[in-house]
Amino acid sequence: MAKPRLTNQIRLLRFLANEMTQAELGERIGLTRQTIAAIEAGKYSPTLEAAFRIARVFGKPLEEVFQWSD
Amino acid sequence: MNQSPEKVGIAFRERIAWLSLTAMVLAYSVYFALAARAIQQGAGTGELIGLLAAVLVVQILVVIAASIAIAICSGREARAPADERDRAIARRGAAAAYFVLMIGMIMVGCVMPFRDKGWTVINAALFALVVAEVVRYATIVTSYRRGWHG
């Protein structure tokens, strides 16, 4: 599998948000724990809507949560 | 950051896909092996229908029982609706199976009637359906395992 070009800071942001679990984050935005884990691991690229929902949970702009690496 | 990675179990829908894939492969391997032998021995339509019905009933009962057991073990996750990744993976599986089914149906509906008949055509149609379903579930479990970037 090609190295993912879409990277993210979700794991760090969860840690900074009182060690929020993947399940808690998933519940807040309507995704399963496995999907949050897949996004963190770069195994799944979320839809734009889910990406905005994740960023909103952490109170961050989208580009601080997700990055595109060339 | 000293947060340890959370252990990620197999998703409920991936477990169901594994179950369906395994049940499908096992049930129809048995069916096609027994049907081939029965046809060679000159079995009648009634015997072949009985064999197919028996395999279908056993497969359905096993899948229902195992699905209930998986749902109980999965707890809340089993009651949660499919999320966007589940739906995307399901669509991918259906799209892959569609082409397999199309090829199979063209063979069975447009080619085989000119040279085969009876249970050969019926079993070929059934085989196309089984292969399409196997491709669907195999695509789903592969997508869950290896990741998917839609």
Side-chain angles (χ1 to χ4, degrees), chain A residues 33-46:
Chain A
R33 183 172 61 89
Q34 286 84 1
T35 296
I36 297 295
I39 294 169
E40 284 187 11
K43 284 186 165 185
Y44 173 67
S45 301

Side-chain angles (χ1 to χ4, degrees), chain A residues 1 4 11-12 14-15 19-23 27 30-35 37-38 42-47 50, chain B residues 1-12 76-77 81 83-86 88 144-150:
Chain A
M1 193 172 67
R11 197 171 155 214
L12 172 65
R14 282 197 300 111
F15 175 73
E19 302 195 21
M20 181 190 291
T21 65
Q22 292 173 336
E27 272 180 29
L31 298 179
T32 63
R33 183 172 61 89
Q34 286 84 1
T35 296
K43 284 186 165 185
Y44 173 67
S45 301
T47 60
Chain B
M1 189 171 73
N2 59 0
Q3 187 186 29
S4 60
E6 291 178 41
K7 191 181 174 193
V8 181
I10 299 174
F12 169 70
R76 284 174 55 193
E77 194 192 334
D83 69 9
E84 61 172 48
R85 175 168 163 257
D86 298 320
Y144 275 115
R145 284 292 91 196
R146 300 196 59 185
W148 183 59
H149 302 271

